[in-house]
Amino acid sequence: MDALTREVLEDLMADAVARSKTFSVWPGGEAPGAKASEAVFTPEPHHTGTSNYDRSVTGVRAPEITVYAPAKPNGTGILVTPGGSYRRVVLDKEGSALAPFFNQRGYTLFVMTYRLPGDKHLEGADAPLADVQRALRTIRANAREWQLDPLRIGVMGFSAGGHVAASLGTRFDEKVYQPVDDIDEQSARPAFMALVYPVITMHADIDHPGSRHELIGDTPSPEQVHRYSLEDRATSSTPPTFLLHAIDDPAVKVDNSLVMFNALRRAGVAVEMHLFERGKHGFGIRDAIGLPVAVWPELMMNWIATKV
């Protein structure tokens, strides 16, 4: 791969997007619980920058998965839940930008949009979890189509999408929606979790206020705080986990990764954590260029290869 610059990265993203395919998470498009919501799906073409690959969306009603497939699949698939403070879902910064690097190593990426907890879907704060459970089950049920091993499907989440991914890893067996077809007989437990500057906790001292507001409001009960603080939900059944964070993150405190790391260790779960001095929040691929944290995709892929 050429020396990485923003221009080279945008060319790689353009190629990845051109080759990608998209399908619905739920049969018929809209999630069943969306019937209670008045959310209006709204594309935001240039939310994270000025290029054609700075897209995000709000008002998700019909979650979708965009598949970025490698030329030579290695049998491992990764469901990606991008961030957006639980107010939107970004599509490129923590989506298509990953494809050139992970595809090169044979990983198949499934970048999804998910419903937002403040949009008053029937499942309320569990709407993102319902979508990600359904997405993982759908990929697993159709693994052969993408030349994947159904037991080698993991999840990768960023920022608030890290909370979505960690919810899946700690709450995969909770019933948060009514089964709709045979796909829902599949296990929703991911083979591994990879969490990048993740929102983990709802405890007020180290929470991300914006995500907490969207998820459980400004005056949550102790029961709500516990339910959605994923360090409190980790058990020995939680899959092996990779954590990545910048210590200078001004938005989602590094303490989120630290409390999850300690919870996983206490539960006896295999866990690896990388903390970098610099990177701030939302560095993804593009904003990591020129920093030591830019090595993170290789670190993560090397770790995944030891777990599946």
Side-chain angles (χ1 to χ4, degrees), residues 139-163:
I139 296 166
R140 183 161 279 152
N142 296 283
R144 185 173 296 179
E145 177 184 342
W146 297 294
Q147 301 177 56
L148 302 177
D149 181 338
L151 299 180
R152 293 165 59 189
I153 312 296
V155 66
M156 182 199 314
F158 298 77
S159 193
H163 192 271

Side-chain angles (χ1 to χ4, degrees), residues 197 245-255 275-283 287 291 293:
Y197 37 84
H245 222 119
I247 295 169
D248 66 350
D249 191 324
V252 177
K253 295 180 177 68
V254 70
D255 304 77
L275 303 181
F276 286 83
E277 178 187 3
R278 296 168 57 207
K280 298 193 180 296
H281 188 69
F283 49 79
D287 292 342
L291 296 175
V293 72

Side-chain angles (χ1 to χ4, degrees), residues 13 17 20 43-49 51-57 66 68 89-94 96:
M13 293 164 73
V17 170
S20 67
E44 299 177 313
H46 301 292
H47 181 74
T48 61
S51 84
N52 291 331
Y53 303 101
D54 281 296
R55 300 169 297 168
S56 68
V57 295
T66 298
Y68 296 95
V89 182
V90 304
L91 303 181
D92 295 303
K93 185 180 75 166
E94 295 156 354
S96 64

Side-chain angles (χ1 to χ4, degrees), residues 69-107:
K72 296 180 179 179
N74 66 9
T76 300
I78 308 176
L79 175 62
V80 180
T81 51
S85 298
Y86 272 139
R87 296 187 181 96
R88 56 182 42 80
V89 182
V90 304
L91 303 181
D92 295 303
K93 185 180 75 166
E94 295 156 354
S96 64
L98 310 174
F101 306 91
F102 284 82
N103 287 171
Q104 189 176 53
R105 287 275 296 267
Y107 292 97

Side-chain angles (χ1 to χ4, degrees), residues 174-197:
E174 288 188 29
K175 187 176 180 180
V176 291
Y177 68 91
Q178 292 296 322
V180 296
D181 55 28
D182 291 347
I183 285 174
D184 291 317
E185 297 176 8
Q186 296 280 337
S187 169
R189 182 183 184 272
F192 57 86
M193 288 197 298
L195 308 177
V196 184
Y197 37 84

